[in-house]
Amino acid sequence: MAEVTIPAPVVTHDGHGHGTTTGVSNPKLGMWVFLGSECMLFGGLISTYLLYKDRIGDAGIAGRDVFDIPFTSVSSFVLLMSSLTMVLAVSAIGRGDHRRTRTWLLATAMLGGVFIAGQLYEFTAFYREGLGFTTSLFSSAFFTLTGFHGVHVTVGIVMLLSLYTLSLKGRLPTERAESVEIVGLYWHFVDIVWILIFTLVYLIP
Amino acid sequence: MAITEDRPLALPVGEPAPLTEPPLGVFRRPTTATGWRSWLTTVDHKRIGIMYGAAAIVFLIVGGVAGLFIRLQLAVPDGTVLSADMYNQVFTMHGTVMIFLVVMPIGAAFSNYLIPLQIGARDVAFPRLNAFSFWCFLGGGIFLNSSWFLGGAPDGGWFNYAPNSGVVFSPTNGIDFWNLGIIITGIASLVGAVNLITTVVNMRAPGMSLMKMPVFTWMALVTQFLLLFAVPVLTVAQVLLMMDRLYDANFFNVDAGADPLLWQHLFWIFGHPEVYLMILPAFGIVSEILPTFSRKPIFGYPFIVFSGVAIGFMGFGVWAHHMFATGMGPLSVAAFSLATMFIAVPTGVKILNWTATMWGGKLRFDTPMLFAIGLVTMFTIGGLSGVTHAIAPADTQQTDTYYIVAHFHYVLFGGAFFGFMGGFYFWWPKVFGHTLGERLGKWNFWTLLLGFNLTFGPMHILGLQGMSRRIYTYSDGYGFNLWNFVATIGAFIIAFSVLLFVINIIASHRRAKHEPPVGPDPWDARSLEWMLQSPTPAHNFDEVPTVTQLDEFWHRKYAEDDHGVVRRVATADEIAQPGDGTGVHLPSPSYWPLVTCIALPIIAWGLIFSLWLALIGGAVLVTGIYGWVMEPPDDLDGGGIGGHHHADDGPAERTEVPADADAPAVEQEVAPVG
């Protein structure tokens, strides 16, 4: 065979999922599947916290003694607003408006950074009041659960800043808009988990 | 079918621009297709599958030797082969290695190799993540086994019940190795699950609806869902235990008021789906072998599929039957007892279907078929003894005795492992281009069957007589002598049988050099992978087939004539694709999955011994991830086009690609990618 005609493989570099069975691109489907698994991760941590939330040991420091609910409400609000800016970033790159995409990506990362800073401040304050990681079952469970969530937010911030840098270098063209959307999926998931944690840990007495 | 980019954190990779400099200035993009380096950098699902299998067989020998030591110690009363402490380490590692480093990876080996072929895809959805999964598994396995030389292996049983696995009761670092090593292999399983689920859901050949998928692919898909939802729960438990052991947290500190059942619940929420995800790939394998060698379609395909799915769902609702003896209360016990009895139903459905598949078939007793029948019979015994555990009053007598040991070896060895052996013999020609020797194969089967039953059959009796698990010795006069001795003889027959298997692999490889190639379809089989030449070409399908039926390949070979009699209408050679496809662009190999994975054991050693080492590992990890993300998933520098990017080509357009006679291998050629 000197000349053969083979259909060019269907490659979804534009990330819109042409040619996949479901029509959803592989990376996006992969992220959804991964988030399913994350539900079980946080499910295990939240269950452990609920089991241990009243076991405060000899130190006798319970959540209601240290939680500063107005403060955490503000930082939760900041994190929720970051979901809004994330949506604006996805919408901007969909329209091919790269300048606004960068603005909103940076805004999202900064709002996430404010939330993490708030969490660090909160942890320090708790520690000063005598609630360390090893103080009681409650404290170990609390710090592990919220710490895991904080790490997730931090990973999200790193991804957002990476997107921002790529966009600055012109390596985030409109055809790759889905990358922003996928990071957005992760970001919204982390937000939703926080709504759950904030309600279960801080609000329900 | 689509070959798509893969992105670990879904970061964009930019346009596949021509790379004049290696990414991050470290590694030049690997281009070789042969030699050891090509294996280190491969992203080909077939090679990764082979490596999974090879590594698992090495670990099988490690775990097997541990098992032999257990049997040597217990061969006679008051055995002195192992000390009590060493015995704890050996049985812990026997279980851990066999489950996490043998049975699960062999399942992964078959899934990796076969899923893309059975659904008509060119590779998995995320080829580099696939390589990452394998190296993660290998890194975790090596890390876990390094504990033998670094202060002692874990000694708390494969379930490592806390608080017994806390620092107070297990002061060596063994259990830290277990925690971190299994977290690493867990990452491998999780990433593999995301990858394979996406592959099956998204990359099927045209016409292949879910209910036209081969049963193996179905069972492997259910397995991946079980992994996806079960592994993170184990990871949580292990992180909590690690926090306790390394950083003085209190999760399992009963003095501080911890719940001693927390670990058991978390562990078995993982642990029971775990046993199903070990057996389901083997169920899939025999569901391919039995129809082929019975020359009949599988009986009740929808029932086989839905019972597998039902097992997957119900597998998450029966975990506490491992905990009947913990005093968790009559209501829980009754509920889990009932649920456990129910889960026997879909399993029974499967056994009925397999039997009915064979019923009235023209049976051929080649080695794969023998192993498949071995699974059906041995698993039935194990399944029946399993149902006896569902009856809580009986279980409280049997729990922690050798009756349990007998039960789970009948399902995992007599079930999963027999199925895997059948799979090895069945697909060996597809993978390596030659069959394994039939004569040695039959010896292999009969010695394994004999050794297996001699080893684990007597354990039923020992258990009912009251012999406890995990006790390193027993006294003369308990009445345990005879059956323990028989079991030890059986264990060595198993070892001999595994040796025969290894000899068979080597002998068949040598013999094959003097024999004609085996052809695409040595068994007159039914699913798409047999449409390919043996061994499978690197690019899989020359042209992705369009599927109209379940057992598509068989229906292309056979059709009904005017009188309604099924006749052969074409030979396999006529239908099989020639394997000379050109213009197929394959994902490029990469160093980064390996680099990223090397970081994980370094971090783990660092967490145990020195945080400085963990920092170094962390730096390697970050470098690996960024190198990976910045590297385009597909390079266009192989075919002389120099990275010219055909941005205008629509995804489904047909493009003329001249076959280049100078190209060293077909997969080196490049088609424009849109």
Short mmCIF file of all heavy atoms in Angstrom, two decimals, chain B residues 490-546:
data_model
loop_
_atom_site.label_atom_id
_atom_site.label_comp_id
_atom_site.label_asym_id
_atom_site.label_seq_id
_atom_site.Cartn_x
_atom_site.Cartn_y
_atom_site.Cartn_z
N GLY B 490 -0.01 -29.16 51.29
CA GLY B 490 -0.77 -28.51 50.22
C GLY B 490 -0.13 -27.21 49.79
O GLY B 490 -0.04 -26.91 48.59
N ALA B 491 0.34 -26.41 50.77
CA ALA B 491 0.94 -25.11 50.44
C ALA B 491 2.15 -25.30 49.54
O ALA B 491 2.38 -24.51 48.62
CB ALA B 491 1.31 -24.38 51.72
N PHE B 492 2.92 -26.35 49.80
CA PHE B 492 4.10 -26.56 48.96
C PHE B 492 3.71 -27.08 47.58
O PHE B 492 4.42 -26.82 46.60
CB PHE B 492 5.11 -27.47 49.67
CG PHE B 492 5.93 -26.69 50.65
CD1 PHE B 492 5.50 -26.51 51.96
CD2 PHE B 492 7.12 -26.08 50.26
CE1 PHE B 492 6.23 -25.76 52.86
CE2 PHE B 492 7.86 -25.32 51.14
CZ PHE B 492 7.42 -25.17 52.46
N ILE B 493 2.59 -27.78 47.50
CA ILE B 493 2.12 -28.17 46.16
C ILE B 493 1.70 -26.92 45.38
O ILE B 493 1.97 -26.80 44.19
CB ILE B 493 0.96 -29.19 46.28
CG1 ILE B 493 1.46 -30.46 46.96
CG2 ILE B 493 0.39 -29.51 44.90
CD1 ILE B 493 0.39 -31.50 47.19
N ILE B 494 1.06 -25.95 46.07
CA ILE B 494 0.72 -24.70 45.40
C ILE B 494 1.99 -24.02 44.89
O ILE B 494 2.05 -23.56 43.75
CB ILE B 494 -0.02 -23.75 46.36
CG1 ILE B 494 -1.38 -24.32 46.75
CG2 ILE B 494 -0.20 -22.37 45.73
CD1 ILE B 494 -2.11 -23.51 47.80
N ALA B 495 3.02 -23.99 45.75
CA ALA B 495 4.28 -23.35 45.34
C ALA B 495 4.84 -24.06 44.11
O ALA B 495 5.31 -23.41 43.16
CB ALA B 495 5.28 -23.39 46.49
N PHE B 496 4.77 -25.39 44.11
CA PHE B 496 5.25 -26.16 42.96
C PHE B 496 4.44 -25.78 41.71
O PHE B 496 5.00 -25.60 40.61
CB PHE B 496 5.12 -27.65 43.26
CG PHE B 496 5.44 -28.55 42.09
CD1 PHE B 496 6.73 -28.64 41.61
CD2 PHE B 496 4.43 -29.27 41.47
CE1 PHE B 496 7.03 -29.46 40.54
CE2 PHE B 496 4.72 -30.09 40.39
CZ PHE B 496 6.02 -30.18 39.92
N SER B 497 3.15 -25.61 41.87
CA SER B 497 2.29 -25.28 40.74
C SER B 497 2.63 -23.89 40.18
O SER B 497 2.69 -23.71 38.96
CB SER B 497 0.83 -25.33 41.18
OG SER B 497 0.00 -25.06 40.10
N VAL B 498 2.88 -22.93 41.07
CA VAL B 498 3.26 -21.60 40.60
C VAL B 498 4.60 -21.69 39.87
O VAL B 498 4.81 -21.02 38.84
CB VAL B 498 3.32 -20.61 41.78
CG1 VAL B 498 3.90 -19.27 41.34
CG2 VAL B 498 1.93 -20.40 42.36
N LEU B 499 5.48 -22.56 40.38
CA LEU B 499 6.77 -22.76 39.69
C LEU B 499 6.53 -23.31 38.28
O LEU B 499 7.16 -22.87 37.31
CB LEU B 499 7.63 -23.72 40.50
CG LEU B 499 9.04 -23.98 39.95
CD1 LEU B 499 9.87 -22.71 40.07
CD2 LEU B 499 9.71 -25.13 40.69
N LEU B 500 5.60 -24.27 38.17
CA LEU B 500 5.26 -24.80 36.85
C LEU B 500 4.79 -23.69 35.92
O LEU B 500 5.14 -23.66 34.74
CB LEU B 500 4.16 -25.86 36.95
CG LEU B 500 4.53 -27.24 37.46
CD1 LEU B 500 3.30 -28.14 37.40
CD2 LEU B 500 5.65 -27.83 36.63
N PHE B 501 4.01 -22.77 36.47
CA PHE B 501 3.52 -21.66 35.65
C PHE B 501 4.68 -20.83 35.12
O PHE B 501 4.75 -20.50 33.94
CB PHE B 501 2.56 -20.81 36.48
CG PHE B 501 2.00 -19.62 35.76
CD1 PHE B 501 1.29 -19.78 34.58
CD2 PHE B 501 2.19 -18.34 36.25
CE1 PHE B 501 0.76 -18.68 33.91
CE2 PHE B 501 1.67 -17.23 35.58
CZ PHE B 501 0.97 -17.41 34.41
N VAL B 502 5.62 -20.52 36.02
CA VAL B 502 6.77 -19.71 35.60
C VAL B 502 7.58 -20.47 34.55
O VAL B 502 8.00 -19.91 33.53
CB VAL B 502 7.64 -19.35 36.83
CG1 VAL B 502 8.90 -18.62 36.40
CG2 VAL B 502 6.83 -18.49 37.79
N ILE B 503 7.78 -21.80 34.78
CA ILE B 503 8.51 -22.61 33.80
C ILE B 503 7.78 -22.61 32.47
O ILE B 503 8.39 -22.47 31.40
CB ILE B 503 8.68 -24.05 34.32
CG1 ILE B 503 9.63 -24.06 35.52
CG2 ILE B 503 9.20 -24.97 33.23
CD1 ILE B 503 9.70 -25.40 36.22
N ASN B 504 6.48 -22.70 32.55
CA ASN B 504 5.67 -22.70 31.32
C ASN B 504 5.85 -21.40 30.55
O ASN B 504 5.96 -21.41 29.32
CB ASN B 504 4.19 -22.91 31.68
CG ASN B 504 3.37 -23.37 30.50
OD1 ASN B 504 3.88 -23.52 29.40
ND2 ASN B 504 2.09 -23.60 30.73
N ILE B 505 5.89 -20.28 31.28
CA ILE B 505 6.08 -18.99 30.61
C ILE B 505 7.40 -19.00 29.84
O ILE B 505 7.46 -18.66 28.65
CB ILE B 505 6.07 -17.84 31.65
CG1 ILE B 505 4.67 -17.67 32.23
CG2 ILE B 505 6.53 -16.54 31.01
CD1 ILE B 505 4.61 -16.65 33.35
N ILE B 506 8.47 -19.46 30.53
CA ILE B 506 9.80 -19.43 29.90
C ILE B 506 9.85 -20.43 28.75
O ILE B 506 10.30 -20.09 27.64
CB ILE B 506 10.88 -19.74 30.96
CG1 ILE B 506 10.85 -18.66 32.05
CG2 ILE B 506 12.25 -19.82 30.31
CD1 ILE B 506 11.63 -19.01 33.28
N ALA B 507 9.37 -21.65 28.99
CA ALA B 507 9.45 -22.69 27.96
C ALA B 507 8.63 -22.30 26.73
O ALA B 507 9.08 -22.48 25.59
CB ALA B 507 8.96 -24.02 28.53
N SER B 508 7.45 -21.74 26.96
CA SER B 508 6.61 -21.35 25.82
C SER B 508 7.25 -20.24 25.01
O SER B 508 7.17 -20.21 23.79
CB SER B 508 5.24 -20.87 26.30
OG SER B 508 4.66 -21.83 27.13
N HIS B 509 7.92 -19.33 25.73
CA HIS B 509 8.59 -18.24 25.03
C HIS B 509 9.69 -18.79 24.12
O HIS B 509 9.84 -18.38 22.98
CB HIS B 509 9.17 -17.29 26.06
CG HIS B 509 9.91 -16.14 25.45
ND1 HIS B 509 9.27 -15.14 24.76
CD2 HIS B 509 11.24 -15.85 25.40
CE1 HIS B 509 10.17 -14.28 24.32
NE2 HIS B 509 11.38 -14.69 24.69
N ARG B 510 10.44 -19.78 24.64
CA ARG B 510 11.53 -20.36 23.82
C ARG B 510 10.95 -21.14 22.66
O ARG B 510 11.43 -21.04 21.53
CB ARG B 510 12.36 -21.30 24.69
CG ARG B 510 13.17 -20.55 25.71
CD ARG B 510 14.37 -21.35 26.13
NE ARG B 510 15.15 -20.60 27.09
CZ ARG B 510 15.70 -21.13 28.17
NH1 ARG B 510 15.56 -22.42 28.42
NH2 ARG B 510 16.39 -20.37 28.99
N ARG B 511 9.92 -21.93 22.94
CA ARG B 511 9.33 -22.78 21.91
C ARG B 511 8.76 -21.92 20.78
O ARG B 511 8.86 -22.27 19.60
CB ARG B 511 8.22 -23.62 22.54
CG ARG B 511 7.49 -24.55 21.62
CD ARG B 511 6.51 -25.43 22.42
NE ARG B 511 5.75 -24.65 23.41
CZ ARG B 511 4.65 -23.96 23.13
NH1 ARG B 511 4.18 -23.93 21.92
NH2 ARG B 511 4.03 -23.28 24.08
N ALA B 512 8.21 -20.77 21.16
CA ALA B 512 7.50 -19.95 20.17
C ALA B 512 8.42 -19.46 19.07
O ALA B 512 7.96 -19.14 17.97
CB ALA B 512 6.84 -18.77 20.87
N LYS B 513 9.73 -19.39 19.36
CA LYS B 513 10.64 -18.89 18.33
C LYS B 513 10.69 -19.81 17.13
O LYS B 513 11.04 -19.40 16.04
CB LYS B 513 12.05 -18.74 18.93
CG LYS B 513 12.13 -17.58 19.89
CD LYS B 513 13.48 -17.52 20.57
CE LYS B 513 13.52 -16.40 21.60
NZ LYS B 513 14.58 -16.59 22.57
N HIS B 514 10.40 -21.11 17.34
CA HIS B 514 10.49 -22.07 16.25
C HIS B 514 9.13 -22.41 15.68
O HIS B 514 9.01 -23.32 14.87
CB HIS B 514 11.15 -23.36 16.73
CG HIS B 514 12.35 -23.10 17.59
ND1 HIS B 514 13.49 -22.50 17.12
CD2 HIS B 514 12.57 -23.33 18.91
CE1 HIS B 514 14.37 -22.38 18.10
NE2 HIS B 514 13.83 -22.86 19.20
N GLU B 515 8.11 -21.71 16.11
CA GLU B 515 6.77 -22.09 15.67
C GLU B 515 6.14 -20.97 14.86
O GLU B 515 6.50 -19.81 14.99
CB GLU B 515 5.89 -22.40 16.89
CG GLU B 515 6.25 -23.73 17.49
CD GLU B 515 5.29 -24.11 18.59
OE1 GLU B 515 4.48 -23.25 18.99
OE2 GLU B 515 5.35 -25.27 19.04
N PRO B 516 5.18 -21.33 13.98
CA PRO B 516 4.50 -20.27 13.24
C PRO B 516 3.70 -19.41 14.19
O PRO B 516 3.32 -19.86 15.28
CB PRO B 516 3.56 -21.06 12.31
CG PRO B 516 3.39 -22.38 12.96
CD PRO B 516 4.66 -22.67 13.69
N PRO B 517 3.46 -18.16 13.80
CA PRO B 517 2.68 -17.27 14.67
C PRO B 517 1.28 -17.83 14.91
O PRO B 517 0.75 -18.61 14.12
CB PRO B 517 2.63 -15.95 13.91
CG PRO B 517 3.03 -16.28 12.51
CD PRO B 517 3.89 -17.49 12.57
N VAL B 518 0.71 -17.41 16.01
CA VAL B 518 -0.51 -18.06 16.49
C VAL B 518 -1.76 -17.56 15.77
O VAL B 518 -2.80 -18.18 15.81
CB VAL B 518 -0.61 -17.88 18.01
CG1 VAL B 518 -0.85 -16.40 18.35
CG2 VAL B 518 -1.68 -18.74 18.61
N GLY B 519 -1.64 -16.44 15.09
CA GLY B 519 -2.82 -15.92 14.40
C GLY B 519 -3.68 -15.09 15.32
O GLY B 519 -3.49 -15.12 16.54
N PRO B 520 -4.62 -14.36 14.77
CA PRO B 520 -5.38 -13.41 15.60
C PRO B 520 -6.34 -14.10 16.56
O PRO B 520 -6.67 -13.52 17.59
CB PRO B 520 -6.14 -12.57 14.57
CG PRO B 520 -6.18 -13.39 13.34
CD PRO B 520 -4.95 -14.24 13.33
N ASP B 521 -6.78 -15.29 16.27
CA ASP B 521 -7.94 -15.83 17.00
C ASP B 521 -7.74 -17.31 17.32
O ASP B 521 -8.43 -18.16 16.77
CB ASP B 521 -9.20 -15.62 16.14
CG ASP B 521 -10.46 -16.09 16.83
OD1 ASP B 521 -10.48 -16.06 18.08
OD2 ASP B 521 -11.40 -16.47 16.12
N PRO B 522 -6.83 -17.65 18.21
CA PRO B 522 -6.53 -19.07 18.43
C PRO B 522 -7.67 -19.86 19.06
O PRO B 522 -7.72 -21.07 18.95
CB PRO B 522 -5.32 -19.03 19.35
CG PRO B 522 -5.35 -17.70 19.99
CD PRO B 522 -5.98 -16.78 19.02
N TRP B 523 -8.58 -19.18 19.77
CA TRP B 523 -9.60 -19.92 20.52
C TRP B 523 -10.97 -19.87 19.85
O TRP B 523 -11.93 -20.36 20.42
CB TRP B 523 -9.75 -19.37 21.94
CG TRP B 523 -8.51 -19.18 22.73
CD1 TRP B 523 -7.98 -18.01 23.16
CD2 TRP B 523 -7.63 -20.20 23.22
NE1 TRP B 523 -6.83 -18.20 23.88
CE2 TRP B 523 -6.59 -19.55 23.93
CE3 TRP B 523 -7.59 -21.59 23.14
CZ2 TRP B 523 -5.55 -20.23 24.55
CZ3 TRP B 523 -6.56 -22.27 23.75
CH2 TRP B 523 -5.54 -21.60 24.43
N ASP B 524 -11.10 -19.27 18.71
CA ASP B 524 -12.41 -19.01 18.11
C ASP B 524 -13.28 -18.21 19.10
O ASP B 524 -14.36 -18.64 19.50
CB ASP B 524 -13.11 -20.33 17.71
CG ASP B 524 -14.26 -20.07 16.75
OD1 ASP B 524 -14.38 -18.93 16.26
OD2 ASP B 524 -15.05 -21.00 16.50
N ALA B 525 -12.78 -17.05 19.44
CA ALA B 525 -13.38 -16.27 20.52
C ALA B 525 -14.38 -15.25 19.98
O ALA B 525 -14.69 -15.26 18.79
CB ALA B 525 -12.28 -15.57 21.31
N ARG B 526 -14.87 -14.37 20.87
CA ARG B 526 -16.09 -13.64 20.54
C ARG B 526 -15.96 -12.13 20.55
O ARG B 526 -16.77 -11.46 19.91
CB ARG B 526 -17.18 -14.05 21.53
CG ARG B 526 -17.27 -15.54 21.76
CD ARG B 526 -18.30 -15.89 22.81
NE ARG B 526 -19.62 -15.71 22.28
CZ ARG B 526 -20.28 -16.62 21.59
NH1 ARG B 526 -19.72 -17.78 21.32
NH2 ARG B 526 -21.49 -16.38 21.15
N SER B 527 -15.02 -11.57 21.29
CA SER B 527 -15.05 -10.10 21.45
C SER B 527 -13.99 -9.43 20.57
O SER B 527 -13.16 -10.07 19.96
CB SER B 527 -14.88 -9.73 22.92
OG SER B 527 -13.85 -10.51 23.49
N LEU B 528 -14.04 -8.09 20.57
CA LEU B 528 -13.31 -7.30 19.56
C LEU B 528 -11.80 -7.50 19.58
O LEU B 528 -11.16 -7.38 18.56
CB LEU B 528 -13.60 -5.81 19.77
CG LEU B 528 -14.95 -5.28 19.28
CD1 LEU B 528 -15.00 -3.78 19.50
CD2 LEU B 528 -15.14 -5.61 17.81
N GLU B 529 -11.22 -7.78 20.78
CA GLU B 529 -9.76 -7.82 20.82
C GLU B 529 -9.20 -8.92 19.93
O GLU B 529 -8.06 -8.85 19.48
CB GLU B 529 -9.25 -7.97 22.26
CG GLU B 529 -9.44 -9.33 22.91
CD GLU B 529 -10.75 -9.43 23.65
OE1 GLU B 529 -11.70 -8.71 23.28
OE2 GLU B 529 -10.85 -10.24 24.60
N TRP B 530 -10.02 -9.95 19.64
CA TRP B 530 -9.52 -11.05 18.80
C TRP B 530 -9.54 -10.69 17.34
O TRP B 530 -9.09 -11.46 16.49
CB TRP B 530 -10.34 -12.32 19.07
CG TRP B 530 -10.30 -12.68 20.52
CD1 TRP B 530 -11.26 -12.42 21.45
CD2 TRP B 530 -9.23 -13.31 21.23
NE1 TRP B 530 -10.86 -12.86 22.69
CE2 TRP B 530 -9.62 -13.40 22.57
CE3 TRP B 530 -7.96 -13.78 20.85
CZ2 TRP B 530 -8.79 -13.96 23.55
CZ3 TRP B 530 -7.16 -14.34 21.82
CH2 TRP B 530 -7.57 -14.42 23.15
N MET B 531 -10.06 -9.53 17.01
CA MET B 531 -10.02 -9.05 15.63
C MET B 531 -8.66 -8.47 15.28
O MET B 531 -8.40 -8.12 14.13
CB MET B 531 -11.06 -7.95 15.46
CG MET B 531 -12.18 -8.31 14.55
SD MET B 531 -13.42 -7.04 14.64
CE MET B 531 -12.87 -6.00 13.35
N LEU B 532 -7.81 -8.32 16.29
CA LEU B 532 -6.50 -7.72 16.07
C LEU B 532 -5.47 -8.82 15.91
O LEU B 532 -5.66 -9.95 16.37
CB LEU B 532 -6.13 -6.84 17.26
CG LEU B 532 -7.12 -5.74 17.55
CD1 LEU B 532 -6.83 -5.12 18.89
CD2 LEU B 532 -7.07 -4.71 16.45
N GLN B 533 -4.37 -8.48 15.26
CA GLN B 533 -3.28 -9.44 15.15
C GLN B 533 -2.71 -9.71 16.54
O GLN B 533 -2.84 -8.91 17.46
CB GLN B 533 -2.18 -8.89 14.23
CG GLN B 533 -2.63 -8.67 12.80
CD GLN B 533 -3.04 -9.96 12.11
OE1 GLN B 533 -2.40 -10.99 12.30
NE2 GLN B 533 -4.11 -9.92 11.35
N SER B 534 -2.05 -10.89 16.66
CA SER B 534 -1.37 -11.20 17.93
C SER B 534 0.13 -11.16 17.67
O SER B 534 0.57 -11.77 16.71
CB SER B 534 -1.75 -12.60 18.39
OG SER B 534 -3.13 -12.74 18.46
N PRO B 535 0.91 -10.54 18.51
CA PRO B 535 0.51 -9.64 19.59
C PRO B 535 -0.15 -8.37 19.04
O PRO B 535 0.08 -8.00 17.91
CB PRO B 535 1.81 -9.34 20.30
CG PRO B 535 2.89 -9.60 19.32
CD PRO B 535 2.38 -10.66 18.40
N THR B 536 -0.90 -7.71 19.90
CA THR B 536 -1.65 -6.53 19.49
C THR B 536 -0.72 -5.46 18.94
O THR B 536 0.27 -5.13 19.58
CB THR B 536 -2.40 -5.95 20.69
OG1 THR B 536 -2.94 -7.03 21.44
CG2 THR B 536 -3.49 -5.03 20.24
N PRO B 537 -1.01 -4.90 17.77
CA PRO B 537 -0.19 -3.80 17.27
C PRO B 537 -0.26 -2.60 18.21
O PRO B 537 -1.25 -2.42 18.92
CB PRO B 537 -0.82 -3.46 15.91
CG PRO B 537 -1.85 -4.47 15.65
CD PRO B 537 -2.12 -5.24 16.89
N ALA B 538 0.80 -1.78 18.18
CA ALA B 538 0.88 -0.66 19.14
C ALA B 538 -0.31 0.27 19.01
O ALA B 538 -0.72 0.89 20.00
CB ALA B 538 2.17 0.11 18.93
N HIS B 539 -0.87 0.39 17.83
CA HIS B 539 -1.95 1.36 17.65
C HIS B 539 -3.32 0.71 17.79
O HIS B 539 -4.33 1.33 17.47
CB HIS B 539 -1.83 2.01 16.28
CG HIS B 539 -1.93 1.03 15.14
ND1 HIS B 539 -0.87 0.27 14.74
CD2 HIS B 539 -2.97 0.66 14.37
CE1 HIS B 539 -1.25 -0.51 13.74
NE2 HIS B 539 -2.51 -0.31 13.50
N ASN B 540 -3.38 -0.55 18.26
CA ASN B 540 -4.63 -1.29 18.40
C ASN B 540 -5.32 -1.44 17.04
O ASN B 540 -4.83 -2.18 16.20
CB ASN B 540 -5.58 -0.64 19.40
CG ASN B 540 -5.01 -0.64 20.80
OD1 ASN B 540 -3.94 -1.17 21.03
ND2 ASN B 540 -5.73 -0.07 21.74
N PHE B 541 -6.40 -0.72 16.83
CA PHE B 541 -7.21 -0.92 15.64
C PHE B 541 -6.70 -0.08 14.48
O PHE B 541 -6.42 1.11 14.65
CB PHE B 541 -8.68 -0.57 15.92
CG PHE B 541 -9.31 -1.47 16.93
CD1 PHE B 541 -9.25 -1.18 18.28
CD2 PHE B 541 -9.95 -2.64 16.53
CE1 PHE B 541 -9.82 -2.02 19.21
CE2 PHE B 541 -10.53 -3.47 17.46
CZ PHE B 541 -10.45 -3.18 18.80
N ASP B 542 -6.59 -0.71 13.30
CA ASP B 542 -6.29 0.08 12.10
C ASP B 542 -7.42 1.06 11.87
O ASP B 542 -7.21 2.24 11.59
CB ASP B 542 -6.16 -0.82 10.87
CG ASP B 542 -5.06 -1.85 11.04
OD1 ASP B 542 -4.17 -1.60 11.88
OD2 ASP B 542 -5.09 -2.88 10.36
N GLU B 543 -8.60 0.52 11.95
CA GLU B 543 -9.78 1.36 11.80
C GLU B 543 -10.76 0.91 12.87
O GLU B 543 -10.99 -0.29 13.05
CB GLU B 543 -10.38 1.17 10.43
CG GLU B 543 -11.31 2.29 10.05
CD GLU B 543 -11.71 2.20 8.59
OE1 GLU B 543 -11.08 1.44 7.84
OE2 GLU B 543 -12.66 2.88 8.22
N VAL B 544 -11.31 1.85 13.59
CA VAL B 544 -12.19 1.47 14.70
C VAL B 544 -13.44 0.81 14.13
O VAL B 544 -14.10 1.36 13.26
CB VAL B 544 -12.54 2.71 15.52
CG1 VAL B 544 -13.58 2.36 16.56
CG2 VAL B 544 -11.30 3.27 16.18
N PRO B 545 -13.74 -0.41 14.58
CA PRO B 545 -14.89 -1.11 14.02
C PRO B 545 -16.21 -0.51 14.49
O PRO B 545 -16.29 0.08 15.56
CB PRO B 545 -14.72 -2.53 14.56
CG PRO B 545 -13.94 -2.35 15.80
CD PRO B 545 -13.06 -1.16 15.62
N THR B 546 -17.21 -0.68 13.67
CA THR B 546 -18.56 -0.29 14.09
C THR B 546 -19.26 -1.52 14.62
O THR B 546 -19.28 -2.57 13.98
CB THR B 546 -19.34 0.30 12.90
OG1 THR B 546 -18.62 1.43 12.43
CG2 THR B 546 -20.73 0.72 13.33
#
